[in-house]
Amino acid sequence: MSNESHHHHDGRRVEDQRLITGAGKYTSDWSAPRQLYGHFLRADRAHAEIVSVDTAKAAAFPGVKGVFTGEDAVRAGYVRAPHTMGFPGKNGMKARAPARPVLAHQRVRFVGEAVALVVAESAAVAQDAAELIEIEYRDLPSVTDPEGALAADAPQLSDEVPGNLALESEAGDEQAVETAFAGAAHITRAKVISTRVAPNPMEPRACLVAYDPATESYRIHSPMQGVTTLRSQLSSYTKVPAEKLIFEVRDVGGGFGQRSSAYPEYAALMIASKALGQPVKWVSTRTDGILTDTHGRNMIAYGQLALDNDGKFLAMRLDWIVDLGAYLSPGAQGHVRNTTNCMTGVYQIPALYASYKIPITNTTPIGAYRGAGRPDIAYAIESLVNQAAAELNLDPAELRRRNFIPLEAFPYTSPTGGKYEIADMPGVLKQALLLADWDGFEARRAKSKAAGKLRGIGISTVIENTGAGNAPTDEVEIQLDGTGTVTAFMVAKAQGHGHETTFGSIVAKALQIPLERVKIVQCEPGTKLIGNGTGGSRSTIGAGSVCHLAAVKLIEEGKALTALELNLEPSQIEYANGEFRSSESDRVVKLADLAKEQTLSFMAEGKFGSTYPNGCHIAEVEVDPDTGRSEVVSYCAVDDIGVVINHSIAEGQLHGGVVQGAGQVFGEQMVYDSETGQPLTASFMDYYMPRAGLIPGIRGEEHATTSTVSPLGVKGVGESGCTASIPVLVGAVINAVRPLGIRHLDMPLTPARVWQAISAAAR
């Protein structure tokens, strides 16, 4: 329990009462007068030309108000989706993106792509009528494997993307790496695959659009991670001015990066609402979500790590293949940018080089997913380090210790331009080894062996860049009213993060008032505030820091107002616990008194760079050789996330991240049939999801270094658990089966896959 939230002794979050009693309001809970209901007819094949779409029967179906197709999308000009691959590639290459009409036109490129929108008086009628649409396709060969897409004889997905190569880029110094490899005592090589996963937030995607012809504006309800990104992207897609797109949102059930972008469905609903003169509402199903919400990961790294005779790292090379799916989605660039920024990991590696081949495939587009490239680079580096330790017969903790960036080297600029602020990796490691009783492992392994189990231990030491954001600045407005209530307005948006508690605590602490007197308003409809949405573990660094600055500004301006009132100088006024006083006067001016005449408003802003949370996770697993089932029997985490505002919220973020990583490790994976391009995992019958009990109680400790990036000293936390858990859990399972001669396993580590590896090793 945090000393910061001393007004809330039980550690409960402000928002919990609303959320756990069913009083939350999610997108599907909004309704508009006279609203109609939309249903999307989706492509049932991976790659085909659309010969014709006959909507006559559907349009004539009782209760149907309108049917929209790719022709409507082209007529509206909603055909160029925004993307963020704006940076130059190799030899100045520019990213190549296929056009993406918001309803497919002439071509479909993945199963699930929206081909038509039926709007009717009820959702059921819209769904029934959609079955009457007759589409004639001319099938084309498809490719779902990113390496296959780059092959010379691969089917071509788009004339605009020759060779299916959307972008080729590089980072680091290839020559320096070649030279270091030539003189190395040992080179470790590994192919590391971070599998494709579906985000599956608790709340399915949904959207309600109401067009107002008088103002030519659209009122839109949809799940989001902040209004600024979504609004600017949807404006870019539709050419509707951003100020004509008015978003209203209250609660959002999970995000993980998947909520940030402007999806084609939202723009298609805009076409329908404008054409029909009525609001149109659409709520997706779980299968819709698995097929069409942007997927995560799917990055392949061919890695090489060069070491000298003392186990010192000399150079590392990573040749990446980064799948984008059928179209470039706005969240995709993080996979390149973030893997470059943290390419050295927590280690001093003098020479680094990365190449990136970025293909399109006949699959669901890929976007940001919790960590957006940071877990993938951590997994690649840590896999190489673990393998090097095994090949050199060194303790993996010792190999790490020899290569850490030393404390005195901070602030540290990596060979690929990451600007690490401060991290105490030797201290973090020491604390984690003690917490996990690293030295007692062999005794535990022997005990497991006696019980017929294979026990393994894994370790990961990771660092990630968080919180920079792409907005020019982060703004927060604070209002003080005559009741003494302080309201803070911002454009960050919680999707389960507890912002109302965290930001409320920051304001309450600065003003020394009870948390009950602070209100947090996120993404007010029509807001003009500038700032970053919530993503990349940046909200507390950005919006949180500015909440603090705005509260400080309120105090300063309050002193000036009080001085006027008391005929004194501002320097003679003291502030504490919601009251202004002076030794020169016996009058006390309360916060509420300042706003008696009118509500007062205070604006603050700040621009903050990246913070670098880091940590060491150590996990132990027991593998049952008869079934291949892995059970996580111990999980220890020591994290440096800077100053912590609310410990229970920070722990919740960390735990969620760890389990999300574990889901990918032990079962989550989108699988496509290689012949037909059909997804084989489009429902929870086939798509594995982590459940409670997958990870035992996490034993966690903090090892904080204070960040200098923001006035609060905080670092990001939202993605740390994911970044550390993927490498540590894979490492633990490989460590368990290594005595059988198994040196490598690819995720997901399902019982079947592990059992097959064990059986093959026994032959």
Side-chain angles (χ1 to χ4, degrees), residues 370 464 497 537 653-654 656-657 716-722:
R370 203 166 191 164
E464 56 179 327
H497 302 82
S537 307
Q653 285 287 308
L654 198 85
V717 63
E719 293 153 316
S720 305
C722 226

Side-chain angles (χ1 to χ4, degrees), residues 386-387 390-391 733-744:
N386 287 341
Q387 194 172 311
E391 288 170 1
V733 176
I734 292 174
N735 182 260
V737 297
R738 196 181 286 281
L740 309 179
I742 299 167
R743 288 193 292 278
H744 181 79

Side-chain angles (χ1 to χ4, degrees), residues 26-28 199-207 222-231 233 247 249 251-263 266 282-286 289 292-295 330-331 367-370 493-497 533-535:
Y26 299 87
T27 298
S28 66
N200 283 314
M202 204 181 299
E203 176 193 10
R205 203 151 52 85
C207 187
S222 83
M224 64 172 73
Q225 295 182 205
V227 68
T228 46
T229 311
L230 187 54
R231 189 174 56 197
Q233 285 180 11
F247 286 88
V249 62
D251 296 308
V252 179
F256 318 127
Q258 167 265 2
R259 302 288 196 194
S260 302
S261 34
Y263 283 91
Y266 304 167
W282 161 73
V283 179
S284 88
T285 63
R286 185 54 70 184
T292 67
D293 295 1
T294 51
H295 288 167
Y369 174 73
R370 203 166 191 164
K493 179 76 197 87
Q495 310 116 56
H497 302 82
T534 293

Side-chain angles (χ1 to χ4, degrees), residues 61-310:
F61 192 76
V64 169
K65 296 291 188 184
V67 182
F68 302 87
T69 66
E71 288 185 4
D72 299 284
V74 170
R75 200 175 302 123
Y78 296 5
V79 294
R80 282 266 160 214
H83 70 80
T84 45
M85 292 279 191
F87 53 91
K90 206 169 175 173
N91 303 324
M93 179 183 180
K94 288 195 164 46
R96 308 187 285 213
R100 187 183 189 184
V102 298
L103 292 166
H105 187 247
Q106 292 178 343
R107 181 85 71 100
V108 294
R109 290 195 179 85
F110 70 99
V111 174
E113 185 168 4
V115 179
L117 166 61
V118 181
V119 179
E121 285 166 2
S122 79
V125 168
Q127 190 174 348
D128 286 347
E131 293 183 14
L132 301 175
I133 296 176
E134 290 165 16
I135 304 177
E136 190 190 329
Y137 288 112
R138 188 177 297 121
D139 284 324
L140 296 167
S142 64
V143 60
T144 56
D145 160 49
E147 293 192 272
L150 293 170
D153 58 351
Q156 295 300 293
L157 272 63
S158 166
D159 297 340
E160 298 175 89
V161 188
N164 298 327
L165 185 67
L167 184 65
E168 190 168 1
S169 73
E170 59 184 343
D173 185 338
E174 190 172 18
Q175 197 47 59
V177 169
E178 299 282 323
T179 306
F181 272 90
H186 182 88
I187 297 175
T188 290
R189 293 181 176 84
K191 180 184 182 182
V192 183
I193 303 170
S194 182
T195 37
R196 174 188 280 258
V197 290
N200 283 314
M202 204 181 299
E203 176 193 10
R205 203 151 52 85
C207 187
L208 166 60
V209 177
Y211 177 69
D212 177 4
T215 57
E216 295 185 338
S217 65
Y218 298 81
R219 196 171 189 91
I220 302 168
H221 303 272
S222 83
M224 64 172 73
Q225 295 182 205
V227 68
T228 46
T229 311
L230 187 54
R231 189 174 56 197
S232 68
Q233 285 180 11
L234 198 57
S235 172
S236 160
Y237 212 151
T238 62
K239 309 296 179 281
V240 173
E243 64 275 10
K244 300 285 188 191
L245 299 171
I246 296 153
F247 286 88
E248 185 163 7
V249 62
R250 198 151 318 153
D251 296 308
V252 179
F256 318 127
Q258 167 265 2
R259 302 288 196 194
S260 302
S261 34
Y263 283 91
E265 287 93 347
Y266 304 167
L269 292 163
M270 286 167 60
I271 293 173
S273 180
K274 184 176 181 179
L276 298 172
Q278 287 175 253
V280 184
K281 179 176 182 174
W282 161 73
V283 179
S284 88
T285 63
R286 185 54 70 184
T287 290
D288 273 343
I290 294 176
L291 290 178
T292 67
D293 295 1
T294 51
H295 288 167
R297 317 280 188 239
N298 219 27
M299 297 177 65
I300 301 165
Y302 286 87
Q304 301 177 62
L305 179 65
L307 304 89
D308 70 10
N309 277 318
D310 298 322

Side-chain angles (χ1 to χ4, degrees), residues 343-395:
M343 189 176 164
T344 183
V346 291
Y347 311 108
Q348 258 185 329
I349 309 178
L352 296 175
Y353 177 72
S355 75
Y356 298 87
K357 284 192 169 139
I358 306 177
I360 55 172
T361 54
N362 292 118
T363 57
T364 302
I366 291 216
Y369 174 73
R370 203 166 191 164
R374 303 175 190 93
D376 312 277
I377 183 73
Y379 180 43
I381 296 169
E382 295 300 281
S383 296
L384 283 167
V385 172
N386 287 341
Q387 194 172 311
E391 288 170 1
L392 298 170
N393 205 15
L394 277 170
D395 174 353

